[in-house]
Amino acid sequence: MAGDYEEEFPVDQFMKNFIPGSILAIIYETYSNVWELPFVMAKEFVERDWAVVITNYIRPVEYLLRDLKLTGLNAEESLNEDRLFIIDVFGSRYGLRNDKKNVFYLDSVDPETLNPKILRIYQDKIIPKLQGKRLLRIVYPLHGVTQIAGEEATVKMFGQLMAQYSKLQVESFMVLPLNKDTVSKSFTAWIVELSDYVLLSKVFIGRNQIEEHLYFLKAPLRDFKPEEYLLIKTGKTGRERFGIRKIKGFSP
């Protein structure tokens, strides 16, 4: 799978053309490293003076904070400075509470009231603290929502969510990471149709090497053409956690 590569460029350059107000789907498979990319984005956007909201569906907050720290983000400092906010649906569901500033909980978790309760947290507790900042919203992960609500209800919830959040007086950008191995093909197809930007990861495992490729498949740009990248996990932090190399001669 070696191929012919152009020069490596940092993740922040790869992300800089995303349009605020739009939706990015990051679709990956079981053995992918791309699940970390939303956390790298959180660090990058905090450094660009955005605020970041992570709606957490799948793990205790302590583990989420740990994974954010792996990218180089000082998560606790960002919480205290009103640059990072966590809506902890997982902890709300299982009675796991954390007393850190800007970690918010629901009184109960059920599909029928999930959206209104989360919207109220935005309106009452998050937006008043933004001070004009733009907002990166990460639903982490989208398949965590389907575990609570089921796929059909999740589709309906996101239709309502898009209508509700369009009325908020704040400029935002949403990221939807999804492990496609945990949901149906039709659900993945719906996410692709919903999203403005689509990244797809594929892992290739050979006898002597493992490679992960990213396919940039969709963007709301007139001259956009799909592109392929080699994803390199470096073990470093921040924008250098992933090396990304564009592959020459990719023909979609």
Side-chain angles (χ1 to χ4, degrees):
M1 305 297 298
D4 187 13
Y5 304 113
E6 293 183 357
E7 69 277 4
E8 188 171 347
F9 63 100
V11 171
D12 62 332
Q13 293 296 319
F14 181 67
M15 296 188 300
K16 69 178 181 180
N17 291 318
F18 288 129
I19 300 171
S22 55
I23 298 173
L24 164 67
I26 302 176
I27 300 172
Y28 57 96
E29 54 193 22
T30 298
Y31 300 108
S32 170
N33 286 304
V34 168
W35 65 269
E36 287 191 37
L37 187 56
F39 300 143
V40 174
M41 293 179 68
K43 180 180 185 297
E44 290 292 317
F45 278 68
V46 163
E47 291 178 352
R48 298 176 190 185
D49 202 32
W50 287 52
V52 176
V53 178
I54 302 175
T55 309
N56 172 49
Y57 285 92
I58 203 169
R59 62 181 60 188
V61 161
E62 289 78 7
Y63 295 173
L64 183 65
L65 296 175
R66 177 202 64 189
D67 292 338
L68 287 165
K69 290 176 183 177
L70 290 176
T71 71
L73 177 67
N74 189 328
E76 294 192 19
E77 179 181 88
S78 298
L79 286 168
N80 289 331
E81 295 179 352
D82 298 336
R83 294 182 292 156
L84 174 66
F85 306 88
I86 297 173
I87 301 174
D88 189 12
V89 179
F90 180 90
S92 301
R93 189 183 189 192
Y94 294 105
L96 302 174
R97 299 266 170 162
N98 189 299
D99 60 1
K100 287 183 171 57
K101 181 184 178 183
N102 289 324
V103 179
F104 305 115
Y105 294 90
L106 313 179
D107 57 4
S108 63
V109 177
D110 59 86
E112 291 75 19
T113 62
L114 194 58
N115 269 352
K117 289 178 180 178
I118 292 175
L119 182 63
R120 181 56 59 89
I121 291 174
Y122 270 92
Q123 292 172 326
D124 295 349
K125 298 182 178 181
I126 296 176
I127 292 177
K129 297 180 179 181
L130 295 184
Q131 298 182 339
K133 288 184 175 67
R134 293 179 292 180
L135 195 59
L136 175 67
R137 296 185 285 136
I138 301 173
V139 177
Y140 186 76
L142 185 56
H143 50 277
V145 185
T146 67
Q147 291 176 7
I148 293 174
E151 292 183 8
E152 184 176 347
T154 299
V155 171
K156 294 178 180 178
M157 286 168 56
F158 267 82
Q160 298 168 356
L161 181 147
M162 292 177 67
Q164 292 169 345
Y165 283 85
S166 66
K167 300 176 183 178
L168 295 179
Q169 299 301 307
V170 60
E171 189 176 32
S172 67
F173 176 58
M174 179 183 286
V175 178
L176 303 177
L178 173 67
N179 184 334
K180 68 181 182 63
D181 291 342
T182 65
V183 296
S184 69
K185 187 175 180 180
S186 62
F187 184 83
T188 301
W190 172 77
I191 289 298
V192 171
E193 184 174 350
L194 170 75
S195 301
D196 302 288
Y197 302 93
V198 176
L199 284 175
L200 173 68
S201 166
K202 292 187 72 66
V203 178
F204 299 93
I205 302 177
R207 293 184 63 183
N208 299 314
Q209 63 181 348
I210 300 174
E211 284 192 357
E212 185 162 4
H213 288 222
L214 273 180
Y215 300 88
F216 193 8
L217 298 179
K218 184 180 178 183
L221 304 171
R222 186 181 64 178
D223 59 350
F224 174 77
K225 294 180 180 179
E227 295 176 333
E228 181 183 11
Y229 299 85
L230 176 68
L231 183 74
I232 303 167
K233 183 75 172 291
T234 66
K236 299 179 182 179
T237 61
R239 68 189 66 186
E240 296 181 350
R241 190 157 185 81
F242 292 110
I244 298 178
R245 295 179 183 175
K246 184 178 178 181
I247 297 178
K248 294 181 179 179
F250 172 62
S251 180

